[in-house]
Amino acid sequence: MMKLALLAGTHSGCGKTTVMLALLQYLKSRGLKPRAFKVGPDFLDPLWHAAVSGRPSYNLDTQMVGITESRRLLNSLAEEEDCCLIEGVMGMFDGRAGVGQAGSSVDLAAQLQVPVILVVDARGMSGSIVPLVSGFCDLARQQGVSIAGIIANRLGSEHHAQLVREALAEYRLPPLIAWLSKQACVLEERHLGLKMPDMEQLPDFAAALQVDDALLSAVFSQWRGTETVRADTSALLQGKTVAIAKDQACCFIYPANVDWLMAQGAGVEYFSPLAGEAVPEADALWLPGGYPELHVKQLARSATWASLKAFVESGKPVLAECGGAMLLGEALLAIDGRSWPMADILPFVSRMQNKLAALGYREEASGMRGHEFHFSIRESKTSLAPAFVCNGDQGIRYKNLRASYNHWYFASAPRAASEWFS
C-alpha cells in the first residue's frame, strides 16, 4: 500500500509550498525517504522539492499531464517509497475554469482517491477557522474527496495552535495535524514565482514546524493506489540523439519530458549556453525555458551562438520554448531598457516588462498540451510563419525550427512530439 497524501491550500499565498518543504524535511529527519510531486505545470516548486528531497519532483494533474499519465507516474515512481506527498496548485478548487474542475487539486484528489491535507493561513484567527474549513470539507465531500487533516500556517504560539485545535475538534472537523510558526523561513519570489533554490544554503523550514506524528501517519496510510498503467513503448525516436540546453538560463525542464525522450529510444546530450558550450553532435535540439533575463550579460557574449546558428541552418529539428526561444532573437531588452545581443537567428527582439504578458493552459491542433506563462513580449517588423496551431502563442516556424512561448508536455501527444524531433 502506497503512503500518499495531497497537500492543498485554501488559496495561493497561504504558504503551502513552505509547509510542503517543512514536511519533506521533517519526514527525512524521521529517517524516511519522501517522494514529492506537484499539481499543475509549475517548474519552480518541483525544483525546491528536489533540492530538499534529493530526487526529481514530477508534475501531475488532470489537465496538462492527464489522469492516465498521472496514475502511471505514481505507480512507477511511488510504489516502493516510504511516503509520497503531492503539493497542490493555487487554492484547492482552482483549476482551468470553474470550481474544482480540470487542473484543480481537488479534481486530481477525486480521480486518484487520495486524502487531502488542507493548509490554512490561520494568522489572526482562531474560531473563524471553523466556517472556513467546514466549507472546504462540504464542497470536497460533494466531489468525493476527504480532507483528512489541517495544517495551520503562520501561528503565533502553542496557545494559538491549541485554540485552533480545540475549535476544529468541537465542530468535529478534520484534526490539526501540524502547525507552522509565523517565524518560519519565507521563500523569496520574483516575476515568475519563487526564486530558484540555493543548493548550498537550503533554509531549515522544519525548525518552525510542530507535528502530531500519529495524526500525520494516519493521513498517509489511507491511499491504496490505482491500477497499473503501462507507458508507451513504441520507441518513436530510436537511435536519435537530442541535444538539450540545461543551465540557470534554461532550467524549466519537466523531468517526465526527458524520461519520455529516453523511453522513445533517444539519447540525450546536455550543454550550457551560459558556459558558452557548443551544441553537441545530435539529430535534434531542445531549448527549454528558464531565466535568460537574469543572465543577459553572460549570454550576450556566449560562444554557443555560432554552433547554434549552424545547427538551425542545417535544417535539423529544433524545439525552443519560452526562454529558450528568446535566445534565438536579435536581442533581449531588459527592464532598464538596455539591449543585450542574443544569437541573432530569428528577426525579433524580446522585451521584458513588469506586467504579465500571458498565462494559461495551451493545446495544439495535434493534441499536444502545455502551458504559457511569461512577462516578456516578442517584437518583430517581419511577418513570421507560425509554428503551431493553438489557443496561445503560435510562435515562429523557420526551416525545421519551432519556437514559441509555450512549454509542452511530450507524453500528451507522442506522435506529434516525435515529429518535432525528427
Side-chain angles (χ1 to χ4, degrees):
M1 180 174 66
M2 298 184 197
K3 294 183 178 180
L4 177 66
L6 190 151
L7 188 75
T10 54
H11 62 281
S12 290
C14 70
K16 64 181 176 294
T17 300
T18 302
V19 171
M20 175 77 172
L21 300 177
L23 277 175
L24 290 175
Q25 288 180 332
Y26 176 81
L27 291 168
K28 287 184 67 177
S29 74
R30 307 294 286 182
L32 301 174
K33 295 181 180 179
R35 164 73 76 168
F37 297 88
K38 172 67 183 180
V39 180
D42 193 282
F43 289 103
L44 291 166
D45 288 354
L47 289 176
W48 278 97
H49 298 171
V52 171
S53 71
R55 290 179 293 177
S57 173
Y58 284 70
N59 302 75
L60 310 171
D61 74 356
T62 57
Q63 175 60 41
M64 183 183 75
V65 179
I67 189 60
T68 298
E69 177 67 4
S70 292
R71 286 184 177 129
R72 188 195 69 77
L73 286 168
L74 276 174
N75 279 282
S76 63
L77 295 170
E79 189 171 5
E80 298 181 359
E81 302 295 344
D82 293 327
C83 56
C84 300
L85 191 59
I86 306 170
E87 181 187 349
V89 59
M90 299 182 289
M92 182 174 172
F93 295 91
D94 299 317
R96 181 172 184 173
V99 179
Q101 296 183 19
S104 68
S105 300
V106 72
D107 190 39
L108 182 68
Q111 297 204 45
L112 292 177
Q113 282 299 287
V114 56
V116 168
I117 300 170
L118 184 66
V119 176
V120 179
D121 182 350
R123 174 181 45 189
M125 71 166 70
S126 55
S128 291
I129 199 171
V130 168
L132 175 63
V133 170
S134 180
F136 271 79
C137 287
D138 287 347
L139 197 55
R141 195 176 300 114
Q142 292 176 34
Q143 294 195 219
V145 173
S146 169
I147 296 178
I150 307 299
I151 295 182
N153 189 28
R154 302 188 178 106
L155 295 190
S157 64
E158 172 58 41
H159 176 65
H160 189 180
Q162 186 62 21
L163 292 174
V164 169
R165 187 181 295 112
E166 291 173 352
L168 292 171
E170 180 181 353
Y171 284 81
R172 298 182 180 180
L173 292 170
L176 184 71
I177 63 175
W179 61 275
L180 196 66
S181 167
K182 64 182 180 180
Q183 304 300 326
C185 300
V186 177
L187 292 169
E188 295 186 61
E189 297 190 19
R190 59 166 60 99
H191 56 280
L192 294 181
L194 298 178
K195 286 190 174 182
M196 298 275 288
D198 184 342
M199 302 299 187
E200 301 300 322
Q201 296 181 341
L202 283 173
D204 183 3
F205 300 102
L209 183 70
Q210 303 297 318
V211 180
D212 185 314
D213 282 315
L215 292 176
L216 180 63
S217 178
V219 170
F220 274 105
S221 67
Q222 295 183 36
W223 196 76
R224 293 184 174 276
T226 57
E227 71 275 13
T228 300
V229 182
R230 291 186 178 182
D232 179 11
T233 56
S234 49
L236 299 171
L237 296 171
Q238 187 65 47
K240 294 186 180 296
T241 299
V242 179
I244 305 175
K246 185 178 181 181
D247 53 28
Q248 292 292 298
C250 297
C251 54
F252 291 171
I253 300 173
Y254 295 126
N257 275 353
V258 178
D259 292 351
W260 183 88
L261 289 172
M262 298 175 70
Q264 301 308 314
V268 298
E269 293 285 344
Y270 295 103
F271 72 102
S272 169
L274 272 178
E277 296 173 353
V279 178
E281 288 292 328
D283 301 291
L285 170 62
W286 177 23
L287 299 173
Y291 281 119
E293 65 271 25
L294 301 182
H295 305 278
V296 286
K297 186 174 182 179
Q298 196 171 345
L299 288 170
R301 57 174 185 264
S302 175
T304 299
W305 302 150
S307 63
L308 179 57
K309 186 169 187 177
F311 195 100
V312 172
E313 294 296 337
S314 73
K316 292 181 179 180
V318 178
L319 178 65
E321 301 176 322
C322 203
M326 292 165 67
L327 301 180
L328 299 169
E330 298 167 355
L332 195 160
L333 303 181
I335 288 292
D336 61 8
R338 186 170 178 180
S339 178
W340 298 90
M342 293 290 111
D344 194 18
I345 297 171
L346 298 176
F348 69 85
V349 297
S350 300
R351 181 186 297 276
M352 294 302 303
Q353 55 182 20
N354 287 315
K355 63 180 181 179
L356 184 65
L359 170 66
Y361 288 104
R362 301 295 179 244
E363 185 164 351
E364 213 264 339
S366 64
M368 180 71 73
R369 297 188 297 271
H371 192 257
E372 183 179 356
F373 179 31
H374 54 98
F375 277 67
S376 71
I377 57 174
R378 188 172 56 242
E379 298 178 340
S380 177
K381 297 178 181 179
T382 304
S383 179
L384 304 171
F388 304 104
V389 179
C390 66
N391 59 331
D393 178 30
Q394 297 191 355
I396 300 169
R397 179 72 184 269
Y398 172 71
K399 294 194 172 183
N400 207 7
L401 179 151
R402 294 172 174 85
S404 76
Y405 274 114
N406 306 312
H407 296 274
W408 300 109
Y409 194 82
F410 301 157
S412 64
R415 294 289 171 183
S418 67
E419 290 174 3
W420 295 353
F421 289 106
S422 299

